[in-house]
Amino acid sequence: MDLSLKLRSSPSSFSLTCRKFHSPINHPLRHQLPIVPPPSLKLKPRTFLTASGNRQLTVMAKLSKSLEGVSQELNLIASQNLDHAPARRRVRSAFTQVQQQLHHPLLKLAPAGIKTEEWYERNSSGLELFVKSWRPSSGIKIKGAVFFCHGYGDTCTFFFEGIAKRIAAAGYIVYALDHPGFGLSEGLHGYIPSFDGLVDNIIERYARIKGRPELKGLPCFLLGQSMGGAVALKVHLKEPQAWDGIVLVAPMCRIAEDVKPPPPILKTLILLSRVMPKAKLLPQRDLAELGFRDLKSRKTAEYNVICYSDRMRLKTAVELLKATEDIEAKLDKVSSPLLILHGAADKVTDPLVSQFLYQKASSNDKTLKLYEGGYHSILEGEPEDRILAIFDDITTWLDSHCSTT
């Protein structure tokens, strides 16, 4: 069952602005959930000598438990330090066969015949980024293109492979990239020196892809999940006419007042982030059970071994907070056709925030769907019938907006 709200004529005058949210959730400084968390980690400090002769403390990640069904060698590979892209790429390569054999609706029911291509390209900052595309099988008419923005700690590989194939099977070319510092892209793992940098990177890279001859005349849509929803909204706010519609899944776009850090603490965090921006000082909870309602899917998530689930870095936390504050102040400027999907029982990003976005956005074409009992990862962590129903909602909305573009 889902609870749906739809507006095609004029924006609602109802406002949640004065409503106090009494939820212990939706705060990047208090809860940080990668969409697909790996097994819990223990940190083992080791001291090395630098070239100058000074001692440097490095924290090495170690798996606190072994992954079931894989060799000791693979467990050892998975336990290495993933701060830098070469290590993450080696781990991904080593686990490719294992991941293909996992039993999950997105993986076992992935449509056949989808054409995939992956490559690396450098952005204007000189970082090498991982990019991938999924195309419908031969004979299927291409209706449009969907460009994905993944969430905090996540990657456009693993679960998104199944997501992309299902959208491609409906007649859409899907493009995705790993944000700098995440997945297979270069950059310090889990480090966001500038949220606007993530946004500008998406604008830059996807503009190049949209300029390809095969996409000429096709409607193009943004798909953002969790933190990626915030990225997608800021992309739209910077370029209001660049996209034909936006699909947001459990978006991170507002901080509830009752969980926002008190001004003195926030000021301290900001000051510390300037001195030691890469430090991992913020506490990290294992929130896998809050993200995945289906127990088997929660277990499968452990095999996404390249996601980031360590303590959040100081600068990253401050940037996420600043980004949501900026978005909240500009929600009335969101004018794109909008589909917002959220689990009604989400304890990571508050579904009330999606209702707030729905009410504030100035778009005359907006739809909100709240899925009863749904957790945060509604595309990956729900029972199979719910996952398939959500994809039907996405493709139906996309189809309706292709016929009107």
Side-chain angles (χ1 to χ4, degrees):
M1 175 182 178
D2 69 77
L3 311 173
S4 301
L5 296 170
K6 187 165 184 178
L7 180 64
R8 281 271 193 175
S9 55
S10 60
S12 170
S13 60
F14 180 74
S15 173
L16 295 177
T17 306
C18 297
R19 180 175 180 176
K20 184 175 178 63
F21 292 178
H22 296 285
S23 172
I25 51 184
N26 191 45
H27 197 316
L29 302 183
R30 190 171 296 186
H31 295 317
Q32 307 93 38
L33 174 69
I35 299 298
V36 277
S40 57
L41 300 173
K42 288 184 177 180
L43 302 179
K44 180 179 180 181
R46 296 178 62 186
T47 302
F48 298 92
L49 287 177
T50 64
S52 61
N54 297 323
R55 290 186 178 275
Q56 175 177 317
L57 181 66
T58 301
V59 179
M60 307 292 289
K62 290 292 179 183
L63 290 169
S64 62
K65 65 178 181 178
S66 297
L67 290 168
E68 296 179 6
V70 302
S71 66
Q72 183 178 357
E73 180 183 5
L74 280 177
N75 272 292
L76 183 61
I77 291 173
S79 70
Q80 66 182 285
N81 188 314
L82 301 182
D83 275 354
H84 302 290
R88 301 195 292 271
R89 294 171 186 177
R90 288 193 297 269
V91 171
R92 188 248 190 168
S93 179
F95 273 81
T96 298
Q97 186 174 358
V98 172
Q99 292 173 346
Q100 290 173 346
Q101 297 172 352
L102 295 173
H103 294 284
H104 185 277
L106 289 176
L107 306 176
K108 70 180 181 180
L109 299 179
I114 303 300
K115 303 172 184 177
T116 64
E117 181 184 4
E118 55 185 55
W119 66 95
Y120 291 94
E121 60 186 35
R122 292 199 179 276
N123 65 8
S124 58
S125 299
L127 292 175
E128 189 176 64
L129 305 178
F130 174 79
V131 191
K132 187 160 185 173
S133 68
W134 296 258
R135 291 174 173 268
S137 57
S138 300
I140 294 182
K141 179 183 177 180
I142 296 177
K143 307 170 187 175
V146 175
F147 294 75
F148 182 59
C149 303
H150 70 71
Y152 170 77
D154 207 359
T155 170
C156 67
T157 61
F158 200 65
F159 277 136
F160 189 71
E161 292 279 354
I163 294 171
K165 287 181 179 179
R166 187 157 291 277
I167 295 175
Y172 296 88
I173 306 175
V174 180
Y175 295 94
L177 58 78
D178 282 341
H179 299 307
F182 295 95
L184 304 175
S185 291
E186 288 185 342
L188 181 62
H189 208 196
Y191 181 52
I192 302 176
S194 166
F195 197 88
D196 280 337
L198 292 187
V199 175
D200 292 340
N201 182 71
I202 287 290
I203 292 173
E204 173 188 286
R205 305 327 300 171
Y206 284 169
R208 288 176 59 90
I209 294 175
K210 287 166 67 178
R212 293 181 174 183
E214 62 266 29
L215 297 186
K216 185 176 181 180
L218 290 177
C220 294
F221 304 92
L222 277 176
L223 167 61
Q225 187 174 25
S226 196
M227 182 195 79
V231 173
L233 283 171
K234 292 206 73 171
V235 167
H236 164 66
L237 290 170
K238 285 194 172 189
E239 295 188 333
Q241 305 301 320
W243 300 89
D244 295 292
I246 305 173
V247 178
L248 300 174
V249 181
M252 182 194 79
C253 57
R254 187 182 190 272
I255 300 299
E257 288 298 324
D258 57 337
V259 295
K260 187 177 293 186
I265 295 178
L266 181 56
K267 185 176 180 179
T268 301
L269 287 173
I270 293 172
L271 290 174
L272 282 174
S273 73
R274 294 170 182 168
V275 178
M276 43 198 309
K278 301 174 184 177
K280 307 175 187 177
L281 297 183
L282 297 176
Q284 169 73 17
R285 289 179 55 190
D286 180 7
L287 300 179
E289 65 182 43
L290 300 181
F292 289 78
R293 182 157 68 112
D294 181 77
L295 296 180
K296 292 181 180 179
S297 297
R298 189 184 304 169
K299 189 68 176 177
T300 302
E302 296 180 356
Y303 294 83
N304 182 13
V305 287
I306 65 169
C307 76
Y308 183 85
S309 64
D310 204 346
R311 290 172 176 259
M312 184 176 280
R313 300 180 190 274
L314 277 175
K315 182 64 171 175
T316 297
V318 171
E319 286 299 308
L320 293 184
L321 179 59
K322 287 168 54 181
T324 54
E325 289 178 341
D326 181 55
I327 291 170
E328 180 184 352
K330 299 176 181 176
L331 288 182
D332 59 338
K333 293 181 171 57
V334 176
S335 57
S336 173
L338 205 59
L339 173 63
I340 310 168
L341 311 174
H342 215 131
D346 189 344
K347 291 184 173 63
V348 180
T349 58
D350 196 333
L352 288 176
V353 176
S354 282
Q355 294 180 12
F356 181 80
L357 167 62
Y358 172 80
Q359 299 293 346
K360 291 287 289 182
S362 61
S363 173
N364 292 330
D365 178 0
K366 52 187 177 181
T367 301
L368 168 66
K369 286 183 173 287
L370 299 177
Y371 299 94
E372 186 176 5
Y375 283 22
H376 183 63
S377 302
I378 55 174
L379 295 181
E380 309 97 338
E382 294 293 295
E384 182 176 314
D385 58 342
R386 168 63 62 79
I387 289 176
L388 297 180
I390 292 173
F391 277 107
D392 285 343
D393 289 339
I394 292 174
T395 55
T396 297
W397 187 90
L398 290 172
D399 289 349
S400 69
H401 287 76
C402 287
S403 60
T404 59
T405 55

